[in-house]
Amino acid sequence: HWETHGTLVTAMETPKTIHDFGGFPRSLYEVQYPAPGSPELAHEIKKIITKTSLELDYSWGLDHGTWSVIKHLYPEAKVPVVQLSLDRGKSPEFHYELAKELISLRRRGVLIVGSGNIVHNLGILDWDRPDGGYDWAVNANNLLKKLIMADDHSQLIHYRELGEDIRLSIPTPEHYLPLLYILGLKEENETITFFNDKLVMGSLSMTSLKIDKSDVFTHSLRSGV
């Protein structure tokens, strides 16, 4: 959700809770997630990343792409959290390769979460269809899962070449790119498990995955938003 020019990481001691969405129930705007930040981790990430010039950010905070997921994992908000932005000017290949530079964090137990939706087209939601998806959304969800299980990262990186169903499912990249970060962190001989695998409102996929024997998760738990 945090798209920027350049790549930034939050570096403040106490990140604010950001409600960067519109048209949802008032209760969502009242949610606060007062997790601490980690300036130390932010500075370490800045040293680790060499693919681009990483900037430290002191004004953003935790947007709903972060808190709507993390609050279910750590409801007491005591675990330090930093958020990495998505450079809107870079290619999917860039984001995939940037993720690989974070592998040392993962290996020492830093939890890395990629929050988004494999299928995310808000413009054509069917509000009267709480369960299930359009045919093209089901097809896209199944195709992407197949490529994920086959470790076919090349096709997943070049998703724009996968046809009309994928184009409808990924009209903009910000919900999809976090998946590439997680796949970029997958190591050889590790396995993937899907959970919460369902479509809702026609054009949204709640499909989530984890890399087994690791602390790497992706794509949503969007029960709150």
Side-chain angles (χ1 to χ4, degrees):
H1 291 274
W2 187 25
E3 291 185 285
T4 56
H5 295 291
T7 304
L8 287 72
V9 63
T10 56
M12 66 286 290
E13 292 277 359
T14 55
K16 61 186 175 183
T17 303
I18 299 173
H19 303 89
D20 54 329
F21 47 80
F24 289 92
R26 179 179 177 82
S27 59
L28 288 176
Y29 300 91
E30 296 175 348
V31 173
Q32 293 295 314
Y33 189 73
S38 178
E40 296 82 8
L41 179 58
H43 280 84
E44 182 176 355
I45 294 171
K46 181 175 175 62
K47 292 178 182 179
I48 289 173
I49 289 180
T50 61
K51 188 172 181 61
T52 189
S53 177
L54 181 70
E55 300 298 327
L56 300 178
D57 175 85
Y58 297 94
S59 62
W60 185 245
L62 304 179
D63 60 43
H64 82 277
T66 295
W67 61 255
S68 70
V69 176
I70 300 298
K71 75 183 188 71
H72 295 286
L73 300 175
Y74 302 104
E76 295 183 355
K78 294 182 179 179
V79 175
V81 181
V82 302
Q83 186 171 323
L84 187 71
S85 76
L86 295 170
D87 186 341
R88 60 167 53 94
K90 299 298 185 180
S91 67
E93 292 95 331
F94 170 89
H95 292 286
Y96 178 80
E97 293 299 329
L98 179 60
K100 291 182 176 296
E101 296 193 331
L102 303 175
I103 192 66
S104 63
L105 299 178
R106 184 196 164 199
R107 286 173 176 168
R108 78 160 198 255
V110 175
L111 175 67
I112 301 176
V113 177
S115 170
N117 297 83
I118 293 177
V119 176
H120 186 270
N121 193 329
L122 290 182
I124 50 178
L125 287 180
D126 184 350
W127 293 96
D128 296 322
R129 188 177 187 174
D131 295 306
Y134 301 121
D135 288 345
W136 54 263
V138 173
N139 292 340
N141 196 62
N142 288 337
L143 173 58
L144 293 171
K145 287 194 300 178
K146 180 180 179 180
L147 294 174
I148 290 168
M149 293 304 293
D151 283 333
D152 194 339
H153 294 183
S154 178
Q155 287 204 72
L156 290 163
I157 290 169
H158 299 95
Y159 67 93
R160 296 188 181 99
E161 301 173 9
L162 294 177
E164 182 67 9
D165 290 347
I166 298 296
R167 187 191 69 78
L168 286 169
S169 299
I170 313 172
T172 56
E174 74 280 356
H175 271 264
Y176 180 79
L177 292 176
L179 172 66
L180 298 184
Y181 277 79
I182 301 304
L183 295 179
L185 289 164
K186 181 178 181 294
E187 299 197 77
E188 190 175 357
N189 299 321
E190 290 185 318
T191 58
I192 287 174
T193 302
F194 290 103
F195 63 100
N196 203 34
D197 184 11
K198 62 180 180 180
L199 285 97
V200 299
M201 296 185 180
S203 60
L204 292 178
S205 169
M206 299 292 103
T207 300
S208 305
L209 65 85
K210 67 177 181 177
I211 299 177
D212 288 342
K213 298 181 181 178
S214 74
D215 286 328
V216 182
F217 293 83
T218 192
H219 282 74
S220 228
L221 300 181
R222 283 260 191 256
S223 60
V225 175

